[in-house]
Amino acid sequence: MTWQPYSRRFAGLDARRQEEAAREIILGCPPLMRTLRTLRETGLPDAWLVSGALYGNIWNTLTGRACDHGVKDYDILYFDPDTSYEAEDAVIRRWTPAFAVDPPHEIRNQARVHLWYEAHFGQPYAPLSETREAIRRFASTTHAIGARLNPKLEIYAPYGLDDIFSLRLAPNTRLENHATHERKARRQMAAWPELTFVPWPDAVAEETS
C-alpha cells in the first residue's frame, strides 16, 4: 500500500477497512513488531501493548514520519490477580530488559491500579476486571487502542479507529479526565501539528456560557 503524507484517506470508512489499515501499518513498523513479539514471549497474563505506541505510529505513517516519532514510551499492560507490589516489581525487573531501551517500555499490572490511582490523580478508581477495561477508561477515545499477537495480530479499539484516522483527539468522558486529556493533547499536538483537538464537554459549556 502506498501512503500519502498528511492523508486522512481512511477517515470515515467502515470499521473493517480501518482495522485492515491499522493492521498493515502495525505490521510494517519494525519497532512495534519487535515489542509485540517479545510481549508474546513473556507469557504475561492478559497482556497488551496500548495507546501511544500504536496511535502515534499510525499517525507517523499517515503523515510521512518515521516510526516512533513523537512516541514517548511503549505502555505494556497486563492483568494479574496478585495485586502485591512485590509481584508487579518482579515482573518489571524480569521483563523490562527484554524490550528496547528507546523508547522506554513501561510494564504495569492493571489489577493494582485502583490501589494507587486516587493518591496520584485525586479521585477514586474502581477496580478493573481485565486489561481491556483499562483501555476503555483512557482519557481520550483516540488513545483507546491495544494490540497483541494471539498468535496473529489482534487489535482492540472499543471506540473504533475513526478518531485516529481522522487525526482527532476526542475526550472519553467515562471518567473525569479533563486535565489528562488536555495535558496529553498539548504534547501530542506539538509532535503532530496536523491533529485536531476536541475539548472536554464541560470546557465547551464554560466557553459558551
Side-chain angles (χ1 to χ4, degrees):
M1 186 180 295
T2 301
W3 302 95
Q4 309 260 332
Y6 308 102
S7 171
R8 287 175 172 81
R9 61 186 294 182
F10 299 105
L13 296 185
D14 64 86
R16 182 189 60 80
R17 186 67 191 94
Q18 289 181 338
E19 183 168 330
E20 288 176 355
R23 186 181 307 278
E24 187 163 350
I25 291 171
I26 292 169
L27 291 171
C29 182
L32 283 178
M33 293 309 299
R34 281 196 296 270
T35 289
L36 288 169
R37 284 191 290 267
T38 301
L39 179 58
R40 181 176 57 189
E41 292 166 4
T42 68
L44 290 172
D46 195 15
W48 295 78
L49 174 64
V50 305
S51 205
L54 299 168
Y55 65 74
N57 278 315
I58 292 174
W59 291 339
N60 285 335
T61 298
L62 296 177
T63 60
R65 295 181 171 97
C67 283
D68 286 346
H69 164 84
V71 176
K72 185 180 70 163
D73 52 35
Y74 277 35
D75 290 311
I76 292 171
L77 310 185
Y78 70 100
F79 194 92
D80 182 352
D82 184 344
T83 59
S84 67
Y85 169 84
E86 291 76 14
E88 182 185 51
D89 187 59
V91 167
I92 292 169
R93 290 177 180 273
R94 178 180 180 185
W95 290 114
T96 298
F99 294 96
V101 174
D102 186 24
H105 288 57
E106 296 193 355
I107 307 170
R108 296 293 182 269
N109 182 11
Q110 297 308 286
R112 297 194 71 251
V113 175
H114 66 284
L115 299 177
W116 53 261
Y117 189 96
E118 186 169 5
H120 192 75
F121 292 105
Q123 61 177 312
Y125 190 90
L128 295 162
S129 60
E130 62 171 353
T131 299
R132 287 178 295 184
E133 187 177 359
I135 295 172
R136 295 193 292 272
R137 296 188 194 181
F138 287 172
S140 171
T141 56
T142 316
H143 300 165
I145 180 173
R148 64 183 178 182
L149 295 176
N150 187 37
K152 295 184 178 179
L153 179 62
E154 179 181 355
I155 295 173
Y156 180 66
Y159 308 109
L161 296 166
D162 197 56
D163 286 330
I164 295 176
F165 283 113
S166 298
L167 306 181
R168 178 174 59 232
L169 291 167
N172 180 9
T173 58
R174 289 191 58 159
L175 296 177
E176 175 44 65
N177 276 324
H178 184 168
T180 301
H181 176 56
E182 291 192 344
R183 174 175 51 81
K184 289 191 173 184
R186 283 193 294 270
R187 187 188 69 80
Q188 289 158 5
M189 293 177 77
W192 297 279
E194 303 85 3
L195 296 174
T196 298
F197 175 70
V198 180
W200 201 265
D202 288 344
V204 175
E206 291 170 4
E207 291 171 3
T208 58
S209 61

